[in-house]
């Protein structure tokens, strides 16, 4: 059985072998030649491995099995089971990795980079199982995450200060007792 389709696309390449399915739906200059691969729209996108998909965008390339691209431009997926979503110039190189945002590069396995700044975000290959958020600021329900961390640190310091204060009070009480005993001895000697 050969399954091959090309719909409403211009200058697209669909390579077909026996018993496999490929597809390009819409767009311009798209290429699908992995078993059960799909390029749906966009321009100059490539799905070069089996069970891959590129959903729109421009110059997005997949070279790993089971990988996917969701829009964006100039993205690459080299890691098996990797995904790049809504990005520009991002790369998912690690197995089961995820890249989102501008210049988000994931070289480690089981990792994700969320890049929401103009610099980019990278997870090196020796940092498996990592999630990295790169942004100028991060808020939760309108409150800056940095402010939340500062408040938590102040509470921790306040708790440590309370512990130190209690230790100091205990020390003063012990010294007052020693002083009282010493005063009694001096009183006895002088009497």
């Amino acid at each position: 059985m050969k399954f091959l389709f090309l719909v409403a696309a211009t200058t697209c390449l669909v390579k077909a072998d026996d018993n496999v399915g490929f597809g390009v739906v819409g767009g311009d200059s798209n290429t699908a030649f992995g078993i059960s691969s799909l390029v749906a729209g966009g321009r100059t996108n490539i799905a070069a491995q089996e069970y891959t998909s590129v959903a729109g965008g421009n110059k997005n390339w997949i070279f790993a099995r089971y990988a996917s691209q969701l829009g964006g431009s100039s993205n690459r997926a080299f890691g098996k089971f990797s995904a790049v979503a809504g990005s520009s110039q991002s790369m998912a190189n690690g197995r089961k990795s995820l890249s989102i945002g501008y210049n988000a590069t994931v070289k480690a396995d089981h990792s994700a980079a969320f890049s929401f700044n103009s610099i980019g975000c990278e997870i090196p290959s020796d940092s498996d199982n990592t999630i990295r958020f790169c942004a100028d600021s991060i808020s939760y329900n309108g409150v800056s995450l940095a402010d939340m961390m500062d408040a938590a640190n102040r509470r921790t310091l306040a708790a440590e200060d309370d512990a130190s204060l209690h230790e100091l009070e205990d020390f003063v009480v012990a010294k007052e007792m020693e002083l009282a005993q010493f005063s009694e001895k001096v009183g006895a000697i002088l009497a």
Side-chain angles (χ1 to χ4, degrees):
M1 174 182 98
K2 187 183 285 189
F3 177 72
L4 167 72
F5 66 91
L6 177 62
V7 179
T10 60
T11 323
C12 293
L13 170 66
V14 179
K15 179 186 169 198
D17 294 327
D18 290 336
N19 301 317
V20 292
F22 305 87
V24 173
V25 180
D28 179 37
S29 303
N30 292 314
T31 305
F33 57 86
I35 296 170
S36 297
S37 64
L38 171 68
V39 176
R43 185 168 193 276
T44 53
N45 295 306
I46 299 172
Q49 286 291 331
E50 56 193 47
Y51 310 107
T52 60
S53 62
V54 177
N58 182 44
K59 297 180 184 176
N60 294 309
W61 302 346
I62 298 178
F63 294 104
R65 292 185 298 160
Y66 312 104
S68 62
Q69 297 267 354
L70 179 59
S73 178
S74 302
N75 297 303
R76 308 290 178 263
F78 296 108
K80 190 174 181 180
F81 302 105
S82 65
V84 179
S87 302
S88 172
Q89 300 177 20
S90 290
M91 179 179 71
N93 196 40
R95 289 176 298 134
K96 300 175 186 168
S97 62
L98 172 65
S99 295
I100 295 177
Y102 171 73
N103 196 23
T105 302
V106 180
K107 296 178 181 177
D109 293 342
H110 309 104
S111 298
F114 298 86
S115 177
F116 301 107
N117 59 31
S118 61
I119 299 168
C121 193
E122 182 173 339
I123 299 177
S125 60
D126 62 352
S127 298
D128 290 348
N129 308 309
T130 299
I131 298 174
R132 183 163 294 159
F133 291 90
C134 301
D136 294 334
S137 68
I138 299 175
S139 297
Y140 177 74
N141 287 338
V143 179
S144 166
L145 190 57
D147 291 346
M148 282 191 239
M149 296 300 289
D150 286 344
N153 286 338
R154 281 194 299 277
R155 281 193 296 273
T156 301
L157 290 175
E160 290 173 0
D161 289 346
D162 283 347
S164 296
L165 183 59
H166 288 299
E167 287 176 18
L168 187 57
E169 287 173 347
D170 292 344
F171 178 76
V172 168
V173 168
K175 291 300 175 185
E176 285 176 345
M177 290 173 66
E178 284 180 31
L179 182 60
Q181 291 171 354
F182 182 74
S183 293
E184 284 180 24
K185 287 181 184 177
V186 168
I189 293 172
L190 294 176

